[in-house]
């Protein structure tokens, strides 16, 4: 009876248990201290399960016609051809031969639809799950992951971005992205070049100044700043700093990812996930192709094709793909109709339909979800809203999409406001 009751306790999304549930179990005769120990162990197991997310952000918005939904031979198809992938019946644009060879691990979402056709607003929407309305700055999804799945005592950040990204919004600096610009090199200012005695004197002086500042009414700000200094000090002495470098990474593996900024960034992302970082973003630029779209694709696609395909292979070989969500997307799509820019035409902003890739973390690979018409102008099967995407991301990360976040004034807002998990996405 006791064992059965323990097995049926309901844990919340943090791996905790409600007071009511605890008392009910205690009433059944479970020892209080033993029960509390079980709760703590179970909560720690959930926290340490090792779920991670790697977001490859294609800044500028890639064309769906030149990525995962080509339309050759149609008025809108342009110069882009299609190639068969390793998954029977799934074809993608010819710029992506290595992704084609990894398609059995990937789900293609061809029927995304959005509401923001400006870069800043679209980027905000696809990073936070919320539109840019009102005065509140919603947090990057990575900051929520860092808060929910990260170790608050970690000696390296729980959210790393290789390239610029959005902030943690109203969640605060404790889960803000740690931004690096040079993959494979130590972050700036993490090496202590000051003698220990002088460092201690400086910290003592800082502590005195902080005390005076707090007494003047800025206690909350001082507390936040003090915690940041403590984290910085931990990081400077952390053995896990080596995850940012390639000193112990075989040259052949570095070559496999490619020597581009994107390829090397994805290699750092794999190393950080191995080191226990729950969220890493890698930013690839140059996807805003209002002109020269076809020649630009021949330059931009190979870096992502090589790096992303190698990441998926590497994660799978290391046993990490099953608990790592991999996303590849931009802020919206591009017009199916080719514009008339001279001398080299391109495609403009478009939110009615676009596409993205998802892999790992329980997602069923080797499939396409959604369909557009022959000219790529309308979704004709299984449209996916941004809320649906974020609810699916939460499921992959085993996070509660309905959890409440609280703004600085205490107003509760849901992490995902609506939507449903994408039908058929998970195996």
């Amino acid at each position: 009876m006791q064992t059965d009751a323990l097995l049926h306790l309901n844990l919340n999304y943090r791996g905790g248990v409600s007071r009511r549930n605890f008392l009910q179990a205690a009433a059944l005769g479970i020892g209080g201290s033993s029960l509390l120990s079980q709760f703590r162990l179970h909560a720690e197991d959930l926290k340490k399960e090792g779920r991670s997310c790697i977001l490859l952000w294609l800044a500028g918005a890639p064309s769906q016609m030149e990525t995962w939904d080509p339309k050759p031979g149609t008025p809108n198809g342009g110069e882009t051809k299609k190639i068969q992938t390793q998954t029977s019946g799934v074809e993608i644009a010819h710029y992506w031969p290595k992704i084609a060879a990894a398609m059995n691990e990937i789900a293609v979402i061809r029927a995304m639809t959005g509401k923001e056709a400006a870069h800043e607003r679209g980027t905000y929407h696809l990073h936070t799950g919320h539109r840019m309305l009102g005065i509140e700055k919603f947090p990057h999804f990575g900051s929520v992951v860092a808060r929910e799945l990260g170790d608050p005592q970690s000696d390296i950040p729980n959210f790393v971005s290789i390239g610029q990204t959005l902030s943690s919004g109203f969640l605060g600096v404790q889960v803000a992205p740690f931004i690096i610009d040079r993959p494979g090199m130590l972050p700036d200012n993490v090496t202590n070049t000051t003698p220990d005695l002088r460092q201690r004197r400086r910290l003592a002086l800082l502590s005195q100044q902080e005390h005076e500042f707090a007494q003047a009414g800025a206690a909350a700000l001082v507390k936040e700043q003090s915690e940041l200094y403590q984290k910085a000090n931990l990081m400077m002495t952390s053995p896990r700093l080596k995850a940012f470098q390639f000193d112990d990474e075989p040259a052949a593996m570095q070559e496999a990812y490619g020597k581009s900024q994107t390829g090397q960034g994805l290699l750092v992302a794999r190393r950080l996930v191995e080191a226990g970082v729950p969220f890493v973003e890698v930013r690839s630029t140059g996807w805003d192709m209002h002109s020269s779209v076809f020649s630009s694709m021949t330059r931009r696609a190979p870096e992502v094709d090589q790096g992303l395909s190698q990441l998926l292979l590497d994660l799978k070989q290391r046993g990490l793909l099953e608990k790592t969500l991999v996303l590849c997307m931009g802020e919206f799509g591009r017009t199916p109709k080719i514009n008339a820019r001279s001398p080299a035409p391109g495609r403009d902003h478009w939110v009615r339909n676009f596409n993205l890739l998802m892999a790992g973390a329980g997602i069923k690979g080797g499939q396409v979800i959604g369909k557009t018409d022959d000219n790529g102008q309308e979704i004709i099967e299984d449209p996916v809203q941004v809320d649906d995407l974020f609810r699916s991301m939460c499921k992959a990360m085993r996070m509660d999409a309905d959890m409440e976040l609280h703004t600085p004034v205490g107003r509760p807002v849901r992490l995902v406001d609506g939507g449903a998990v994408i039908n058929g996405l998970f195996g």
Side-chain angles (χ1 to χ4, degrees):
M1 172 69 81
Q2 291 179 355
T3 302
D4 187 61
L6 182 60
L7 289 174
H8 285 84
L9 290 173
N10 295 318
L11 296 175
N12 63 24
Y13 66 86
R14 292 180 185 274
V17 65
S18 70
R19 178 176 178 273
R20 179 182 179 184
N21 205 199
F22 179 90
L23 293 175
Q24 286 175 338
L28 291 172
I30 302 173
S33 61
S34 173
L35 180 61
L36 187 58
S37 175
Q38 291 284 345
F39 291 160
R40 285 172 176 164
L41 286 172
H42 201 149
E44 286 301 306
D45 286 344
L46 290 175
K47 198 82 168 180
K48 294 178 180 178
E49 187 185 38
R51 292 266 151 178
S52 299
C53 177
I54 297 173
L55 167 62
L56 174 54
W57 183 255
L58 306 184
S63 165
Q64 65 277 13
M65 314 282 275
E66 277 63 59
T67 50
W68 326 123
D69 193 15
K71 304 290 183 179
T74 69
N76 293 337
E79 300 174 17
T80 299
K81 305 175 183 64
K82 62 183 179 182
I83 56 173
Q84 175 63 46
T85 70
Q86 72 173 166
T87 303
S88 178
V90 177
E91 297 172 321
I92 60 176
H94 74 275
Y95 307 102
W96 308 94
K98 294 183 178 181
I99 292 295
M103 189 54 64
N104 286 349
E105 308 299 336
I106 299 169
V108 179
I109 313 299
R110 277 190 181 153
M112 278 301 304
T113 183
K115 293 175 179 163
E116 302 289 358
H119 290 296
E120 182 182 8
R121 298 179 70 88
T123 298
Y124 185 92
H125 197 191
L126 269 294
H127 276 82
T128 69
H130 294 264
R131 297 177 70 187
M132 192 182 284
L133 304 172
I135 61 173
E136 280 118 4
K137 295 181 73 172
F138 282 90
H140 190 305
F141 183 73
S143 293
V144 182
V145 172
R147 190 188 76 162
E148 297 301 312
L149 303 185
D151 176 5
Q153 306 304 318
S154 175
D155 54 0
I156 59 175
N158 287 309
F159 174 12
V160 176
S161 181
I162 302 160
Q164 295 298 313
T165 191
L166 271 68
S167 76
S168 52
F170 57 67
L171 287 187
V173 296
Q174 294 299 323
V175 289
F178 182 80
I179 296 173
I180 63 173
D181 295 315
R182 298 172 298 169
M185 301 180 67
L186 273 180
D188 292 334
N189 302 321
V190 298
T191 303
N192 186 8
T193 58
T194 306
D196 288 346
L197 179 59
R198 181 177 294 179
Q199 180 76 357
R200 287 196 297 270
R201 287 173 177 169
R202 287 179 176 179
L203 291 174
L205 179 60
L206 175 64
S207 178
Q208 179 183 341
Q209 292 175 333
E210 286 180 334
H211 178 73
E212 294 170 356
F213 198 31
Q215 293 292 98
L221 184 61
V222 167
K223 180 176 182 294
E224 191 173 71
Q225 191 72 9
S226 177
E227 289 173 350
L228 283 179
Y229 276 115
Q230 292 172 20
K231 284 182 176 292
N233 194 47
L234 272 177
M235 186 174 179
M236 290 167 68
T237 58
S238 171
R240 292 196 292 166
L241 267 181
K242 65 182 182 181
F244 290 93
Q245 297 177 290
F246 296 151
D247 292 351
D248 60 349
E249 193 69 50
M253 184 61 74
Q254 296 180 51
E255 291 289 343
Y257 274 85
K259 289 296 188 176
S260 68
Q261 178 89 353
T262 300
Q264 297 295 279
L266 290 168
L267 177 53
V268 172
R270 187 268 289 166
R271 291 175 61 85
L272 289 170
V273 164
E274 278 189 310
V277 176
F279 196 96
V280 185
E281 178 173 350
V282 179
R283 189 172 188 264
S284 172
T285 59
W287 297 93
D288 191 17
M289 300 176 185
H290 290 278
S291 62
S292 306
V293 61
F294 305 113
S295 60
S296 295
M297 284 299 300
T298 62
R299 295 192 302 271
R300 301 303 302 138
E303 298 178 2
V304 173
D305 188 44
Q306 180 173 359
L308 180 57
S309 59
Q310 179 60 35
L311 174 70
L312 295 172
L313 175 63
D314 205 1
L315 289 174
K316 185 175 183 180
Q317 290 178 340
R318 294 167 187 267
L320 295 171
L321 187 58
E322 62 188 24
K323 57 183 180 179
T324 303
L325 172 63
V326 179
L327 295 158
C328 178
M329 63 183 181
E331 56 265 45
F332 40 74
R334 307 206 76 84
T335 52
K337 186 176 180 180
I338 302 166
N339 63 33
R341 294 202 181 193
S342 179
R347 301 187 191 270
D348 300 318
H349 298 182
W350 182 261
V351 295
R352 190 178 300 172
N353 56 276
F354 57 105
N355 56 196
L356 55 84
L357 302 182
M358 303 181 76
I363 287 169
K364 180 183 176 183
Q367 64 166 328
V368 173
I369 294 176
K371 184 178 180 181
T372 58
D373 64 15
D374 290 343
N375 282 326
Q377 295 187 172
E378 300 289 345
I379 295 172
I380 57 176
E381 287 182 12
D382 303 324
V384 176
Q385 304 284 341
V386 174
D387 284 343
D388 303 330
L389 171 65
F390 272 76
R391 196 162 284 274
S392 302
M393 289 158 57
C394 287
K395 178 178 174 65
M397 299 302 290
R398 298 193 178 174
M399 287 167 39
D400 181 7
D402 292 314
M403 75 172 75
E404 287 188 346
L405 307 176
H406 290 85
T407 69
V409 297
R411 185 172 75 88
V413 292
R414 286 200 301 175
L415 174 57
V416 184
D417 192 16
V421 173
I422 298 170
N423 187 38
L425 180 62
F426 292 89

